[in-house]
Amino acid sequence: MTTEEQAMIREINLVRSDPRGYIKYIAPLLADAKTTVARYGKGPKSYSLTFSSTTWNGVKKERIDTTWNYVWEENVKALSSLIEDLKKLKKLSVLEPDPGIYHAARIYAADQHEHEWKLLHVGSDGSQPWDRIKKHSPSMSFGNENIAMRSGSPSVRDIVLLLLIDAGIPGYGHRDNILDPQWTHIACTTENYKSMYSWWLQEFGVRKKN
């Protein structure tokens, strides 16, 4: 892993090992968000898409659900709920880097890059995150992933905060992944796309019990 990728793991372990202590990085963002709403209102209307698929009578059916919100109001809600979650959260395990998971991340990053980062979490071969993680790290029983993008040159903390806040994402699923107590191992990787966008993959795994 690169120095930056290792830093991402340290940042994730920082919030997991000291949830309450991490609030100091979030509280100023909430204050700014509240000021924005007080001055300018709820903000422009936006939406997020949730993709799901089911198999019915042997036929795969895909579904897309749309959730609408107001950008600045939703940011306050997301930040407030994050602080409350961290206040209640007990110290979590520190995640260990895993070479197999990292290999899975690098392969999927290449797949995403080839497809202009439009694959979401399903690979061009139809694989899910846990399929890729278990394939390349057989000691893992399950896994999942987060994908994040920001323009420019965001810091590692910028990306972790983006996923923890998870504004506009129904259920705050990226946050739940970072704070999931079941994980034992991790790998992260990053790619620049068209010299404008920084993409990150965070891959989580849980080792099989003996």
Side-chain angles (χ1 to χ4, degrees), residues 84-101:
E84 288 306 309
D85 285 349
L86 294 179
K87 284 181 179 178
K88 298 173 186 176
L89 193 64
K90 295 181 180 179
K91 180 179 178 179
L92 298 171
S93 62
V94 170
L95 305 180
E96 298 180 19
D98 180 81
I101 298 178

Side-chain angles (χ1 to χ4, degrees), residues 29-98:
L29 302 178
L30 176 58
D32 290 344
K34 287 181 175 179
T35 298
T36 297
V37 170
R39 288 180 178 176
Y40 306 111
K42 295 179 179 180
K45 201 170 184 180
S46 185
Y47 67 91
S48 61
L49 301 177
T50 302
F51 298 84
S52 60
S53 64
T54 58
T55 301
W56 183 259
N57 291 333
V59 179
K60 186 176 181 180
K61 295 184 177 181
E62 296 184 346
R63 176 175 173 175
I64 301 175
D65 295 312
T66 305
T67 302
W68 289 92
N69 59 70
Y70 292 95
V71 175
W72 299 332
E73 179 184 61
E74 167 60 20
N75 203 32
V76 171
K77 289 180 180 179
L79 284 159
S80 298
S81 71
L82 174 57
I83 288 176
E84 288 306 309
D85 285 349
L86 294 179
K87 284 181 179 178
K88 298 173 186 176
L89 193 64
K90 295 181 180 179
K91 180 179 178 179
L92 298 171
S93 62
V94 170
L95 305 180
E96 298 180 19
D98 180 81

Side-chain angles (χ1 to χ4, degrees), residues 2-19:
T2 67
T3 300
E4 191 177 21
E5 291 165 348
Q6 292 173 14
M8 174 67 76
I9 293 177
R10 289 195 297 272
E11 189 71 18
I12 290 171
N13 279 329
L14 178 62
V15 64
R16 286 178 63 90
S17 63
D18 187 12

Side-chain angles (χ1 to χ4, degrees), residues 102-174:
Y102 183 65
H103 187 49
R106 292 303 306 158
I107 289 174
Y108 192 50
D111 194 16
Q112 283 277 19
H113 203 73
E114 185 177 346
H115 292 84
E116 300 181 335
W117 287 89
K118 294 179 180 179
L119 294 177
L120 300 176
H121 295 286
V122 182
S124 61
D125 60 355
S127 64
Q128 297 285 350
W130 43 89
D131 297 325
R132 297 186 291 271
I133 288 168
K134 290 192 293 181
K135 176 181 178 180
H136 296 288
S137 188
S139 63
M140 300 296 148
S141 63
F142 185 64
N144 214 332
E145 73 184 4
N146 284 340
I147 302 175
M149 182 276 291
R150 289 195 72 170
S151 59
S153 301
S155 69
V156 162
R157 180 162 293 160
D158 288 337
I159 297 297
V160 172
L161 286 170
L162 175 69
L163 293 169
L164 283 171
I165 297 166
D166 231 9
I169 303 300
Y172 305 129
H174 300 106

Side-chain angles (χ1 to χ4, degrees), residues 172-187:
Y172 305 129
H174 300 106
R175 178 192 307 175
D176 288 348
N177 256 346
I178 292 175
L179 302 178
D180 193 330
Q182 75 171 314
W183 306 133
T184 59
H185 291 75
I186 189 174

